[in-house]
Amino acid sequence: MNIIADAGIQTEILPLADYTFSGCVDCGYCSGLDVPNCSQDDSYTNEFLPRMVDTDVVGYVFASPVYFGGMSSQLKAFFDRSVVFRRTGFRWENLLAGALSVGRSRHGGQELTEMEILRSALIHGMIALSDAAPTAHFGANLWSGYPAGIREDSAGIRTAENLGKKMVSIARKMYG
Ligand SMILES: Cc1cc2nc3c(=O)[nH]c(=O)nc-3n(C[C@H](O)[C@H](O)[C@H](O)COP(=O)(O)O)c2cc1C
């Protein structure tokens, strides 16, 4: 079952681990630009940035492993660099934002990570989503402690499915 694809919504995965970039250096270059750009010559500027200036995008699910009870440094750097989209006209405003986290401890900070992600999304003026009822909490919440990892986490997978359902139902209400 692919809830998003079945609803006719196209998806793309951008794995942060495939790209090399670090955090924002607060150089101020992007302040006042009309078109998003960044002074740092790296994967974020050359590969992410052009792909994320896409007016057809309805929303993003931001995903992270739980590292030390919160989002990974890669995702934090990603959000810090995303200030360019805020400074060039709040380009992510009113896009949908969902959160997915994976931790190896049963209560290792998955919910805190989801809230960190949604907090960052709110700073863009995005619409922060829960997963859909009946699991409705803070997003997709997975435990990788089973021998086969998250594949065995049926309760966690249900929250991920319900996040997809939530995104589809809100997208339909917004865009028909
Ligand atoms: C540096 C580091 C810190 C971690 N901290 C936590 C933690 O605080 N809580 C937790 O549940 N798991 C923690 N883990 C475990 C990862 O969240 C877990 O291995 C997760 O499955 C990684 O996601 P992946 O399987 O998609 O790579 C940590 C792992 C690493 C490498």
Side-chain angles (χ1 to χ4, degrees):
M1 175 173 55
N2 186 329
I3 290 154
I4 300 271
D6 291 351
I9 293 174
Q10 292 179 345
T11 57
E12 190 178 359
I13 297 175
L14 297 174
L16 298 190
D18 291 354
Y19 301 86
T20 306
F21 61 94
S22 51
C24 178
V25 295
D26 194 15
C27 68
Y29 175 77
C30 62
S31 293
L33 292 178
D34 293 329
V35 178
N37 204 351
C38 179
S39 66
Q40 298 192 59
D41 184 16
D42 62 8
S43 294
Y44 191 97
T45 302
N46 299 318
E47 295 168 62
F48 273 134
L49 219 146
R51 293 173 81 166
M52 298 190 87
V53 184
D54 181 352
T55 51
D56 290 339
V57 169
V58 169
Y60 294 110
V61 175
F62 301 103
S64 180
V66 182
Y67 281 1
F68 276 82
M71 72 167 85
S72 67
S73 57
Q74 289 89 341
L75 186 59
K76 181 67 170 78
F78 173 89
F79 273 123
D80 288 353
R81 294 286 293 278
S82 75
V83 71
V84 62
F85 294 103
R86 192 176 191 276
R87 287 180 175 169
T88 54
F90 281 89
R91 288 165 183 265
W92 290 1
E93 188 175 25
N94 295 335
L95 297 185
L96 305 182
L100 182 153
S101 73
V102 181
R104 189 171 285 277
S105 294
R106 178 68 81 171
H107 305 289
Q110 286 89 335
E111 291 183 337
L112 289 170
T113 303
E114 289 144 37
M115 291 307 291
E116 250 191 309
I117 289 170
L118 296 179
R119 181 201 69 205
S120 302
L122 289 174
I123 291 169
H124 277 292
M126 299 178 85
I127 299 169
L129 300 181
S130 67
D131 47 320
T135 58
H137 283 88
F138 309 107
N141 190 312
L142 292 133
W143 181 55
S144 62
Y146 289 105
I150 57 170
R151 276 178 216 83
E152 282 186 66
D153 183 18
S154 54
I157 288 169
R158 194 146 174 255
T159 62
E161 289 172 350
N162 284 342
L163 178 60
K165 282 183 190 165
K166 186 70 163 196
M167 292 198 92
V168 169
S169 74
I170 300 297
R172 285 224 170 102
K173 281 183 203 286
M174 289 173 72
Y175 301 103

